[in-house]
Amino acid sequence: AACCAEGVAKSWAKLPGVLVVVPQSPDRSLWSDPGDPGYDWLRQEGRQNVNDAAANVRELQRVAMARVRHVEKWLRALLKKHKLKPRHLILSGFSQGSILCALCACRLNAKGAVICGGVTGQPIYSAKEKDYVGGGWMKWEQLLPRKVASTRFCAVNGTLDPFVPRRAVETMLKDYDTQWHWDPGVGHDFPSKWYKIAAKWMKTVLPEERAVATCDLRPTTRSVQKK
């Protein structure tokens, strides 16, 4: 969906001393077309036995870690360019992007991470069927670093979101300083108030810092805003 990140980027860019950067996945989604482009952070080959739950977890974790390393390389270069450290970095991820957000933030020991509509499970792609044939929680907690990072989390979700397994997400982040917001009766909807909640939280996380880089991970489009 073209330009879907512009609203939140412009809103967060109003925070003092903030650089907001929105990367774009290099891979198009299966349903992408020129008139309605879509992107996929975790594009799968789908050659495993899709009837084997363990094989599906291994494949999704393999794909996720390849993308995590890709994003981390870009993030390190971005921080170096702007003479910033991980303590100045807040990552944010929406839906599928929440997976990368959580993993990259902890591995880099970023100051903070905002996850909205996440952390999600993932659908399973079958090369044989040329379509998605199932899905579920991919045990993302297994990919977190063994040493718990000092990264703080703000998790904003709807209580009726079918893509966010609450118990699994809360277990994944149980060792982290996390501020939870469960919006009653809301699904995978991303209302504007979620972005305001995240902005308010960011102010409390970095009250003493003047230089902050916020990276918004979502599988859609790119936008850069500066303050």
Side-chain angles (χ1 to χ4, degrees):
C3 304
C4 76
E6 287 188 358
V8 65
K10 289 179 179 179
S11 174
W12 289 353
K14 295 177 182 178
L15 296 171
V18 168
L19 168 69
V20 178
V21 183
V22 185
Q24 178 173 283
S25 171
D27 296 328
R28 292 290 185 100
S29 65
L30 292 180
W31 53 83
S32 178
D33 64 61
D36 185 21
Y39 299 86
D40 188 348
W41 280 118
L42 304 179
R43 188 66 184 269
Q44 305 166 47
E45 294 180 1
R47 302 187 186 282
Q48 79 278 11
N49 177 3
V50 296
N51 295 314
D52 184 333
N56 290 332
V57 169
R58 288 194 297 271
E59 173 62 8
L60 263 296
Q61 289 188 353
R62 181 194 67 80
V63 171
M65 285 309 300
R67 183 63 73 206
V68 163
R69 288 188 283 269
H70 178 201
V71 172
E72 282 180 353
K73 182 178 180 180
W74 174 77
L75 281 170
R76 292 183 190 280
L78 180 71
L79 291 174
K80 183 178 180 180
K81 177 181 178 181
H82 294 283
K83 299 180 180 180
L84 297 171
K85 301 293 183 181
R87 69 175 184 272
H88 301 123
L89 176 66
I90 296 177
L91 295 177
S92 63
F94 298 76
S95 192
Q96 186 190 61
S98 66
I99 301 166
L100 299 182
C101 171
L103 296 177
C104 288
C106 293
R107 284 166 55 90
L108 291 172
N109 200 21
K111 187 70 175 181
V114 174
I115 53 176
C116 289
V119 177
T120 63
Q122 275 292 280
I124 301 299
Y125 178 73
S126 168
K128 180 180 179 180
E129 299 295 333
K130 296 182 180 180
D131 199 358
Y132 293 102
V133 295
W137 183 252
M138 295 298 137
K139 300 182 180 180
W140 306 122
E141 67 278 3
Q142 295 178 350
L143 303 182
L144 291 171
R146 292 184 179 181
K147 182 180 179 181
V148 177
S150 61
T151 304
R152 297 169 62 184
F153 279 84
C154 175
V156 189
N157 291 293
T159 59
L160 299 183
D161 193 331
F163 305 111
V164 179
R166 181 169 180 170
R167 182 176 297 180
V169 176
E170 290 181 338
T171 299
M172 178 181 179
L173 300 179
K174 63 182 176 60
D175 294 327
Y176 293 86
D177 180 352
T178 304
Q179 185 175 116
W180 296 97
H181 297 271
W182 291 100
D183 203 350
V186 178
H188 207 60
D189 302 320
F190 307 95
S192 59
K193 65 179 178 180
W194 286 11
Y195 308 134
K196 295 178 182 178
I197 290 172
K200 183 178 180 180
W201 176 83
M202 284 190 277
K203 290 179 181 179
T204 66
V205 171
L206 289 165
E208 76 284 1
E209 302 287 357
R210 296 300 298 172
V212 183
T214 299
C215 176
D216 179 5
L217 293 160
R218 59 178 76 199
T220 47
T221 182
R222 64 187 160 203
S223 175
V224 177
Q225 298 287 332
K226 292 184 179 181
K227 177 66 175 178

